[in-house]
Amino acid sequence: MKLSTLLSRDNNNLDIFRVIAACMVIYGHAYALVPHSSADTDFIARLLKFDYSGSLAVNVFFFLSGLVVTNSLLSKRSPIDFIIARAFRIWPALIFTVVVTATIIGPIVTTLPIDQYFQDPATLKYVTNNITMSITHSLPGVFESNFFKSAVNGSLWTIPYEIAAYTTLLAFFMLGASKSKWIAISIFLIIAATPFLPEYLKLSFLPSSKLAVMLAPCFAAGAILALLKDHIHINLHVASGLWILYFLINNSSIVPYLFYSALFVSILYLSSLTLIIKLKMKSDISYGIYLWGFPVQQLLAAYFSAQGIIFNQISAMIICCILGYASWMLIEKNCSKYGSTLAKKLHRLSTPKTATCTTQEL
């Protein structure tokens, strides 16, 4: 199947892989949030050595985001639509999560008196800073006795990087990079090579921290595939060939790139299978799961730490799937529709009306 055909909404079930990725983040975070024996370790970290499940899942998120968002931008070719769609997709659920965490969860678990908690400037800063992308992880007196102290929502750190990726994509599109495939491929190669470059040659706008270093290459990989979708075929042969290369060249510095290439193509291939498409849900609950995962796990760690790591992982996944569904139905779905309506209104206002004249006027 051509990638262009696969990206038609009825020909894939990419949503299920976003849900799996969100649950993998919960699985991976549990090893940092819950006391456990040295024998209990992240399966993915043991298997890969160069990555762990939470980081791998975020990289999958960025790849799928780069693919789907770029495909949408190339189809609609409207910066206004792009900006409104991204803003109404990201901020409403984020604002709700941050506000509820600060005004309901915080007062329940804080060690401070309630009036002192709300009077503390850090409480308001938690809300305003996270909404404005100056990520803040702690609330006054909240989760101070937990194994992983004070952090309320450690998952929020990726959202500014996602917005930066969208902004960079839009800038390149407005500069006309999508009109030349060779320019687009050159930009992708530069971004992909950046993690291997000496510090003085690295692009300053790309993330350089160990956890974030693969985010830009993964997003760029999705974007370039979307641009070249008419020339790319996704099938079992391609996926198998990439996995064979990964296992053959397993001691090289490019191993992460081979692994992620094989993984991403496999996800695309699997998403196009009839059985997987039949599992498609009408609700996209992955963002809600991701937003609520960390605070729910911290709550479980605060009240049920003795139950162990598996209890934390399974309970958090179940609770967050419910919260993710509620977030989609009550907030994300409606806000996305409102954003779409707003974009159409702005288009009508910005489109010049052509002068018409009747026979009598002539």
Side-chain angles (χ1 to χ4, degrees):
M1 183 183 292
K2 271 191 180 181
L3 183 56
S4 56
T5 305
L6 187 151
L7 286 176
S8 172
R9 181 131 186 101
D10 294 333
N11 291 333
N12 73 75
N13 185 4
L14 293 174
D15 289 347
I16 196 170
F17 291 97
R18 281 192 281 258
V19 171
I20 292 169
C23 290
M24 281 181 61
V25 171
I26 291 174
Y27 168 83
H29 280 167
Y31 293 97
L33 301 180
V34 182
H36 57 280
S37 68
S38 56
D40 292 327
T41 57
D42 184 335
F43 169 75
I44 300 295
R46 291 200 313 269
L47 187 67
L48 296 182
K49 309 295 189 233
F50 58 82
D51 215 342
Y52 87 104
S53 56
S55 173
L56 183 151
V58 171
N59 289 333
V60 169
F61 268 129
F62 269 68
F63 166 72
L64 293 176
S65 182
L67 178 72
V68 173
V69 168
T70 304
N71 186 57
S72 176
L73 179 59
L74 293 173
S75 298
K76 296 180 179 178
R77 308 200 71 82
S78 169
I80 292 174
D81 280 359
F82 181 83
I83 293 168
I84 291 175
R86 294 303 94 212
F88 278 82
R89 186 70 181 95
I90 291 174
W91 266 280
L94 172 67
I95 292 170
F96 181 78
T97 304
V98 167
V99 170
V100 168
T101 303
T103 59
I104 298 178
I105 295 177
I108 291 173
V109 299
T110 184
T111 55
L112 302 177
I114 299 299
D115 57 342
Q116 188 177 335
Y117 169 82
F118 280 110
Q119 289 169 10
D120 195 314
T123 302
L124 180 60
K125 281 185 179 179
Y126 177 85
V127 175
T128 57
N129 284 1
N130 285 321
I131 290 173
T132 58
M133 297 297 111
S134 179
I135 301 302
T136 301
H137 293 298
S138 61
L139 280 166
V142 175
F143 298 137
E144 285 187 343
S145 301
N146 276 27
F147 180 70
F148 194 87
K149 297 182 184 298
S150 300
V152 177
N153 198 337
S155 297
L156 300 183
W157 71 272
T158 65
I159 296 178
Y161 288 118
E162 187 170 3
I163 292 171
Y166 294 153
T167 306
T168 305
L169 173 67
L170 181 61
F172 281 132
F173 173 80
M174 295 175 75
L175 289 169
S178 63
K179 294 177 182 177
S180 170
K181 290 181 172 57
W182 293 113
I183 291 175
I185 290 170
S186 299
I187 293 170
F188 163 68
L189 291 175
I190 291 169
I191 292 173
T194 294
F196 296 100
L197 298 176
E199 203 61 41
Y200 66 91
L201 287 177
K202 288 185 177 180
L203 300 174
S204 59
F205 65 87
L206 293 179
S208 57
S209 68
K210 186 177 179 181
L211 278 176
V213 72
M214 286 294 293
L215 297 184
C218 289
F219 185 90
I224 198 66
L225 286 185
L227 183 64
L228 302 176
K229 62 185 177 182
D230 291 322
H231 307 282
I232 294 173
H233 287 79
I234 301 297
N235 53 52
L236 184 59
H237 290 169
V238 175
S240 301
L242 287 168
W243 283 116
I244 291 169
L245 281 178
Y246 165 68
F247 285 111
L248 286 176
I249 312 172
N250 57 10
N251 290 318
S252 167
S253 58
I254 65 168
V255 161
Y257 283 84
L258 289 172
F259 171 78
Y260 278 111
S261 297
L263 177 64
F264 294 159
V265 171
S266 297
I267 287 173
L268 292 176
Y269 171 70
L270 291 172
S271 76
S272 69
L273 298 180
T274 303
L275 176 62
I276 302 298
I277 293 174
K278 286 181 179 179
L279 298 175
K280 182 181 287 191
M281 299 177 290
K282 294 181 179 180
S283 309
D284 184 1
I285 65 176
S286 58
Y287 187 43
I289 295 172
Y290 184 80
L291 288 175
W292 283 107
F294 202 98
V296 166
Q297 285 186 277
Q298 281 287 60
L299 279 170
L300 291 170
Y303 292 103
F304 303 100
S305 61
Q307 299 300 319
I309 197 165
I310 296 176
F311 173 85
N312 184 281
Q313 290 166 331
I314 294 175
S315 300
M317 287 179 194
I318 294 170
I319 293 169
C320 290
C321 282
I322 296 169
L323 291 174
Y325 178 76
S327 177
W328 171 256
M329 295 302 295
L330 300 176
I331 301 167
E332 298 167 55
K333 181 181 177 181
N334 294 326
C335 287
S336 293
K337 285 182 179 178
Y338 180 77
S340 179
T341 303
L342 177 61
K344 289 176 184 177
K345 287 181 179 179
L346 289 175
H347 273 301
R348 284 198 294 267
L349 290 173
S350 61
T351 303
K353 294 182 179 179
T354 55
T356 58
C357 55
T358 64
T359 319
Q360 287 140 341
E361 288 173 325
L362 288 172

